[in-house]
Each structure stands twice: as structure tokens, then as C-alpha cells.
Amino acid sequence: MLANKRRAIVWSEDNAPRPPAQPTTESLPAAAPTGEGKRRIARFSGKGERLDQWRRRIALLFQRNELATDLAQDIGSARWLRGTATMLGLSAVAIAAWPGFSPVEAAPAMRIDDRVRDEFRSQMIMPLALGADSGRRMGATFKVEELASAPERPRIDLVATLTQGDGFERMLRRAGVGSGEAEQIASMVAGAMPLREIAPGTQVDITLGRRAAPDAPRPVDALSFRARFDLQLAVERRESGALALVPRPIAVDATPLRIRGTVGEGIYRSARAAGAPPSAVQQFLRTIGQELNLDRDISATDEFDFILDYKRAATGDIEVGKLQYAAILRDGKPRKQMMRWGREGLFYDAGGVGEQRQGMVAPVPGPISSGFGMRRHPILGYRRMHSGMDFRARSGTPIVAVSDGRVASAGRAGGCGNTVKLSHGGGLETRYCHMSRMAVRSGQSVKRGQVIGYVGSTGLSTGPHLHYEMYRSGRAINPASVKFVTRAQLEGRELANFRASLARWQTVEPGAALADLAPAASASEEPVREIDRLENRQRVN
């Protein structure tokens, strides 16, 4: 061994990555080579050489124990198994380190409190429907100081709406009007028109003035609303301080609107092009469609002609009423004419025959609990014919006639209890059993849908229901198999009056109601249109 304690490094020439370093002059003579694959001993000095030798030894170790191997070779060997274990281990580490998809919250650049947020919101440009304050108010800055007591606004303009089932006085109180003035204003308006005639949804413009004391209600400076189509009412405060009602009548032209034209590509499109409102065209199509097939019976060269109630106010508002006359003409001659007539407002043709009404009216608004046919009787316990239909309904539910007819009998009828029997003509009869109370008498004429009694449980019955039967020539038939078709017929003096009214409708000029109205003498004092009312008022729901 050397005196300076040099170490001897041993490696194999077969596995050496590069030629061995030359020994120093102080080293012992190297062992003579004994053949290929023999070991050679060399001695080194210095830390750099030793580190180099350690790296070589680690490299040799990894070469002998290779972890990342080609898994396509030597399948099943120890080397292949080490490669498989390496792959599985790296896969497990990759899955464990897989990133998530949850949002990452970042710390705000500055602290934002409610005051700063309000200031930001006031400068935003975004839709008001999404909560923006653009154009309404500015957010308070840090230079703004709160007042000990804010001054009260000298006046408040708001809009109150009269809702369904609401009272006019109650609506005023809800808007902030004092109870005394609300009662006084309601009494003044009631003197001009009944309060019940004010339509739900009417909007009332209210101006409240400065209050006399902090705990006193604001006084009403002005109030106005559209009471009717032809009348606007206003309440004003005089110089003396008293309230006064000011009616403002609105000039209205009630000339009926008559639209006439060629069918062409279609009645709806042609009528709309001629100036007819959509609701009027729909009424015309519904009326004529009950008499004629719109696709098969009407050609492109035919003409349509209809008249409807039409009102125009001086303010420019219009009110479309009901259809009064409808006709289809071919070659200048009426093919079908229909006119509204009578208290019920039904349509009749030029011959006085009423519009066709078909379909069976359900006698009560309830489900069918038992149909027509054989069944086991719930009380008697044996099977027998059930010659009608049972409708489930609560006691006291109104029972109506399924069609026009005459009361053949009304009274007690054995197991049917209180019973009403109607005769509809042509051998057709209907019977309504188990009534708690009857609303008609024998010999009385009834109309389709008229109340004839009330559901009960009289007679042979297990509970409140209606037993409904139908007979043809005295023989029971299934009521569900019959549909009624009714047409009224005018006669005598009533028919003459009907034809005279039909002739008067023919004198209406087509399109006369669409002409411009003459301007009012004092247009500046006329009420403005509803659509032009102020939109910046506070609304009270």
C-alpha cells in the first residue's frame, strides 16, 4: 500500500464507458493483463477523479437494474416486470397529481366595501333590468358626508293602479293619501260616476304636496285618471285650499268600422291590409267559419264584408268593439250574411235562422262515476241495467239543461228522488235525478245552459251525485252517443225588426271610421293619450 493512503479503484474493462486513466508515477505497477475480461487496478489521487469514478459506478448500477425498459421485449422476464412496475407507479403518481376544475379565487386588488361597490355600480353601463343604476342616481363618493336629517321633497308624483276587487278609497290610502282626503275624493268621484264602473287596471296620477308636520300625511295637490273612454276626471286644489272635481269630457266618434275587400291569398291578410284590427278579423273568421268551410267554400275571387263597433277618441285612442255584421259575397251578391241580434247577442243569417250550436253541454261540472250499461247496483246488490250516466258532484252544485227544451215534469219520482224531465222535440227527452232542489216547474221553457236544479242525494242514492238519462221515443239510449245541434228561428214582428236592422247596416260606408278626426276646438286643454303619460312617476302596486 502507498504511504499517502491512495485508494485502489477496481472495474471491469468490459463495462467501462471509456479507457481507464493513466496511473501516476507514484503508483505501483499495474497487474499484467491475463486476457480479455480481466480486472485492472489503477490508483488515483484527487477528489475530481474519485467523483468521476463514483458516477461511473452509479451508471453501471442503473445499467444492471434498468427500470424504464422496452415492454415489447422479453415479456415476462424480471427486466420486463421492473418496467411494468415503473409504468404503473408513474401512472399512479400522475393520477394523484391530476389538477381539479374548481375555480381558483384570487385575492382582490383592493378592499371593496358597500360604499365602494355602490360607487362602482353608479358608473356601470348595463341594462336596468339586470340591476344597474345608470341614469337613476350616482353612488356616494368618499367626499360625501351623511346629513343629520335629510330635507323632505316638496312634492311626490306617483301612479296608483286600481286592482281587481280593490276599492277606490282603499287604493288612495295605499298610495299615501290621508284617510280624510281619500274619503272626500272618493265621494266626489262617486258623484260623477259609480265607483264600481271604474275598470280594474285603471291608473291614477297622483301628486302629493309638502306635509304640514312631520307626522302628518301629505296633502293631494292634483289627481287625474281616465274614468271612461269618453271621460277623464281630475281633482285639483284651488287657491283657497279646497279640492274640486274637474270633469273633462273626451270627444268620441262612434262610427262603425266597415271593412270590405277581395279574399285573394287569404281573408286574414287581405282584411289586415284593408285596415281591420286583428281582433275584428278573428271574430269574423270565427263567425263565418261556423257556417262555411273557409278552405273549401270560399274562393280567391269572393269578397268579405264585415262591420264592427269602433270608437275613436279625440286623444287618438281607439276602442274596438264586437262584430255586428259578417258576409261573404260572390259576384256582388251575398252568399252568406250573419248579423248579431237579440239580448243574448247571437248571430242570425238573413233569413232569421240563428247560428248553429252543437255539442252536448255537461249537466254538471263533474267527472263521470258510472256509465251507461249493465252493472251491479250499489244498494240492491244485483246486476241490472243502468240506463243513464252518473256524474260525481258536491251537494248543491247547479244542474243545467243540456239543450233548449220544455219541462215535461218536475217532482218526486220514486227511486230517482226529485227529478226534472225535459222534452227537446223530435221524440228526444232527458231526465235529471236525485236533485236536492228543483229550480223549474212543469211546462216551463228552458234554454241551453239554464239552471234547472241542484245536486242532491234524494231517492235511492248512496251519496250526492246526478243521475242523467236520455230517451228517444220513450226508449233509453246512451247519452254519450248524442250531440245536440240547435238553431233558433225568428218569426213575426221580431223577424221584421231584424231585417230592418240588417238593411240599416248596409248603409255604412266602408272605411269611413278610418278617416282622420277633425281637431278639437281647444286641443291644448284636451287630455293627453294614455301612451303619452309620464313614465318617471313612482308606481304604487
Side-chain angles (χ1 to χ4, degrees):
M1 301 301 293
L2 300 177
N4 56 1
K5 299 182 180 179
R6 292 189 180 95
R7 292 186 176 180
I9 305 300
V10 181
W11 77 95
S12 172
E13 285 186 342
D14 295 338
N15 297 328
R18 60 181 180 176
Q22 297 295 329
T24 60
T25 55
E26 297 180 357
S27 62
L28 295 175
T34 59
E36 188 175 353
K38 301 296 183 177
R39 292 179 181 269
R40 179 181 295 176
I41 300 176
R43 302 182 184 277
F44 301 92
S45 63
K47 295 181 179 179
E49 295 178 353
R50 285 197 293 271
L51 290 176
D52 185 60
Q53 295 302 318
W54 290 343
R55 284 195 299 270
R56 293 182 181 181
R57 292 181 62 184
I58 294 174
L60 292 174
L61 179 63
F62 277 102
Q63 287 181 4
R64 288 194 299 266
N65 302 304
E66 184 180 4
L67 298 179
T69 62
D70 186 356
L71 297 181
Q73 298 179 358
D74 301 334
I75 298 175
S77 63
R79 176 173 171 272
W80 183 85
L81 292 175
R82 283 197 305 272
T84 303
T86 302
M87 181 190 68
L88 295 177
L90 293 176
S91 300
V93 172
I95 294 174
W98 187 269
F101 293 96
S102 59
V104 179
E105 296 184 2
M110 60 178 291
R111 182 177 178 273
I112 300 178
D113 54 12
D114 293 339
R115 199 173 179 185
V116 175
R117 187 178 295 105
D118 288 341
E119 184 174 359
F120 284 164
R121 284 173 56 84
S122 67
Q123 309 300 330
M124 290 180 181
I125 299 177
M126 61 184 297
L128 295 177
L130 300 181
D133 298 326
S134 302
R136 290 189 174 179
R137 63 180 177 85
M138 299 293 291
T141 64
F142 295 106
K143 299 295 184 180
V144 177
E145 297 180 0
E146 294 185 10
L147 295 176
S149 59
E152 191 173 67
R153 296 173 59 184
R155 56 178 284 178
I156 296 178
D157 295 326
L158 50 89
V159 177
T161 303
L162 183 65
T163 59
Q164 184 75 32
D166 199 1
F168 192 82
E169 181 181 346
R170 184 164 58 249
M171 178 266 297
L172 295 177
R173 291 181 180 178
R174 190 172 62 250
V177 180
S179 58
E181 287 192 342
E183 183 179 357
Q184 180 185 359
I185 294 173
S187 177
M188 295 167 61
V189 173
M193 63 173 297
L195 295 179
R196 65 177 180 274
E197 293 184 3
I198 303 177
T202 299
Q203 294 186 337
V204 182
D205 294 328
I206 304 175
T207 300
L208 302 178
R210 190 187 299 273
R211 67 181 80 230
D215 56 347
R218 286 180 176 269
V220 176
D221 283 352
L223 181 147
S224 65
F225 67 98
R226 190 76 167 264
R228 290 194 306 263
F229 188 73
D230 60 347
L231 176 64
Q232 182 164 352
L233 295 179
V235 176
E236 299 177 353
R237 188 172 293 277
R238 303 299 188 186
E239 294 182 358
S240 61
L243 293 174
L245 181 68
V246 182
R248 295 175 181 171
I250 303 173
V252 174
D253 177 41
T255 302
L257 176 62
R258 184 174 189 178
I259 301 294
R260 185 171 181 175
T262 305
V263 172
E265 296 182 0
I267 295 178
Y268 185 86
R269 181 178 300 179
S270 301
R272 291 287 290 126
S279 59
V281 184
Q282 292 172 1
Q283 293 183 62
F284 173 78
L285 294 175
R286 187 163 50 248
T287 303
I288 290 296
Q290 294 180 356
E291 303 295 327
L292 299 175
N293 188 303
L294 299 178
D295 297 327
R296 187 174 59 251
D297 298 338
I298 301 177
S299 64
T301 57
D302 290 345
E303 293 181 287
F304 58 86
D305 186 11
F306 58 90
I307 304 173
L308 63 145
D309 294 331
Y310 195 75
K311 294 181 180 179
R312 294 180 297 162
T315 57
D317 301 308
I318 64 173
E319 184 177 79
V320 179
K322 293 182 178 180
L323 182 71
Q324 298 295 335
Y325 170 80
I328 292 293
L329 295 87
R330 179 169 293 177
D331 298 331
K333 298 180 180 180
R335 184 184 179 192
K336 175 62 72 172
Q337 288 180 305
M338 303 293 295
M339 190 186 77
R340 191 182 297 274
W341 181 257
R343 188 177 305 173
E344 297 180 359
L346 302 179
F347 278 92
Y348 292 80
D349 64 11
V353 179
E355 60 181 318
Q356 177 175 306
R357 293 183 296 169
Q358 60 183 1
M360 184 184 68
V361 176
V364 292
I368 299 176
S369 58
S370 182
F372 181 88
M374 295 296 296
R375 70 162 189 176
R376 181 179 296 276
H377 196 279
I379 295 179
L380 301 179
Y382 57 85
R383 288 178 59 83
R384 73 172 190 175
M385 183 65 182
H386 185 236
S387 58
M389 299 169 62
D390 289 345
F391 289 84
R392 186 185 300 114
R394 293 183 178 181
S395 181
T397 302
I399 303 171
V400 300
V402 298
S403 185
D404 299 346
R406 182 183 58 82
V407 180
S409 63
R412 193 81 178 183
C416 279
N418 294 332
T419 302
V420 171
K421 190 174 184 179
L422 302 181
S423 176
H424 304 283
L428 195 65
E429 295 177 326
T430 55
R431 193 164 74 145
Y432 311 80
C433 302
H434 306 306
M435 292 184 177
S436 61
R437 182 164 58 92
M438 295 171 289
V440 292
R441 63 183 181 277
S442 181
Q444 178 182 344
S445 296
V446 295
K447 295 292 184 181
R448 181 173 183 255
Q450 179 179 339
V451 176
I452 59 175
Y454 300 90
V455 172
S457 185
T458 57
L460 200 60
S461 170
T462 59
H465 73 285
L466 170 66
H467 176 73
Y468 168 62
E469 297 177 347
M470 183 175 291
Y471 295 88
R472 178 177 290 151
S473 301
R475 182 178 179 182
I477 60 175
N478 187 358
S481 64
V482 178
K483 293 184 178 180
F484 290 102
V485 177
T486 58
R487 298 178 72 95
Q489 174 67 56
L490 301 179
E491 298 176 350
R493 186 176 184 83
E494 189 176 13
L495 179 59
N497 294 336
F498 170 80
R499 289 176 174 172
S501 179
L502 182 63
R504 286 194 298 270
W505 282 120
Q506 302 301 323
T507 62
V508 178
E509 292 294 331
L514 297 177
D516 295 334
L517 286 176
S522 56
S524 61
E525 298 180 1
E526 290 293 335
V528 298
R529 297 188 304 167
E530 289 291 300
I531 197 173
D532 294 332
R533 296 172 62 193
L534 294 177
E535 294 295 336
N536 58 350
R537 293 173 178 263
Q538 179 182 356
R539 295 186 177 272
V540 179
N541 296 325

